[in-house]
Amino acid sequence: MGAHNGIIKIKSGKLYSKDKILKAGIVLADMNSLKNLDLEDSLDRLDLEKHLKDADFFQTDSFPEARFSLSSITMIQDTTYNAIVHGYLTVKDVMKPLQLKCKIDHAEDAILISVPEFSLDRTQYNIMSVSYTHLTLPTSDLV
């Protein structure tokens, strides 16, 4: 179906806590750092990365950052994760609510938030690109 796996680097972030309890935060993602992780052929990988940065997809020349604004956290009892982070993800100036399970750990003067891999419906962010499969047939197969 054209699904791919990749990463986008965090550009910056600020977390706000009170008494070691996380209250709010803002994380900016560098959309130009987008990297594909599942295509082995370097030319295919570079072509896909260029396509994803172009105007019909993330349009990184006009929207170089995505933003996650953390609005609240619900602590949960789970064997892997201990919280659900509630917030808003903004991509291409479209803001939508987003909830993610995560693991929050506390160190002396630090809070570490581990978020697992997650998927997004790109159409919710006005990314309506249509991908085409290019097929080359031998001339003997043409009718």
Side-chain angles (χ1 to χ4, degrees):
M1 185 177 153
H4 292 283
N5 296 313
I7 58 170
I8 298 172
K9 292 182 180 179
I10 301 298
K11 181 176 182 176
S12 65
K14 288 189 178 193
L15 300 175
Y16 303 94
S17 65
K18 183 175 181 181
D19 301 323
K20 290 192 173 186
I21 298 173
L22 193 57
K23 297 291 185 181
I26 296 173
V27 177
L28 296 179
D30 177 3
M31 298 304 289
N32 283 301
S33 73
L34 183 144
K35 296 289 179 205
N36 172 269
L37 297 177
D38 58 34
L39 292 178
E40 292 182 20
D41 182 271
S42 61
L43 291 177
D44 288 345
R45 186 173 52 252
L46 290 173
D47 282 347
L48 176 62
E49 290 170 0
K50 181 184 179 309
H51 167 65
L52 294 174
K53 293 175 185 178
D54 280 346
D56 67 331
F57 221 92
F58 288 115
Q59 195 175 351
T60 61
D61 60 336
S62 298
F63 304 99
E65 299 173 345
R67 171 190 295 250
F68 180 72
S69 301
L70 186 152
S71 57
S72 67
I73 294 179
T74 303
M75 301 309 292
I76 60 172
Q77 299 297 318
D78 187 300
T79 57
T80 306
Y81 307 106
N82 62 3
I84 298 176
V85 174
H86 307 267
Y88 295 90
L89 180 63
T90 303
V91 177
K92 292 180 69 172
D93 282 344
V94 177
M95 183 171 56
K96 297 287 182 181
L98 180 65
Q99 296 181 12
L100 299 170
K101 282 189 176 183
C102 66
K103 181 164 176 39
I104 300 175
D105 291 308
H106 297 276
E108 277 186 38
D109 293 332
I111 298 173
L112 175 65
I113 301 174
S114 302
V115 178
E117 182 178 298
F118 63 95
S119 298
L120 293 174
D121 177 357
R122 64 183 167 90
T123 63
Q124 295 294 308
Y125 297 91
N126 292 333
I127 301 170
M128 306 296 181
S129 173
V130 177
S131 297
Y132 297 96
T133 301
H134 297 284
L135 180 62
T136 304
L137 296 174
T139 54
S140 62
D141 290 345
L142 297 177
V143 179

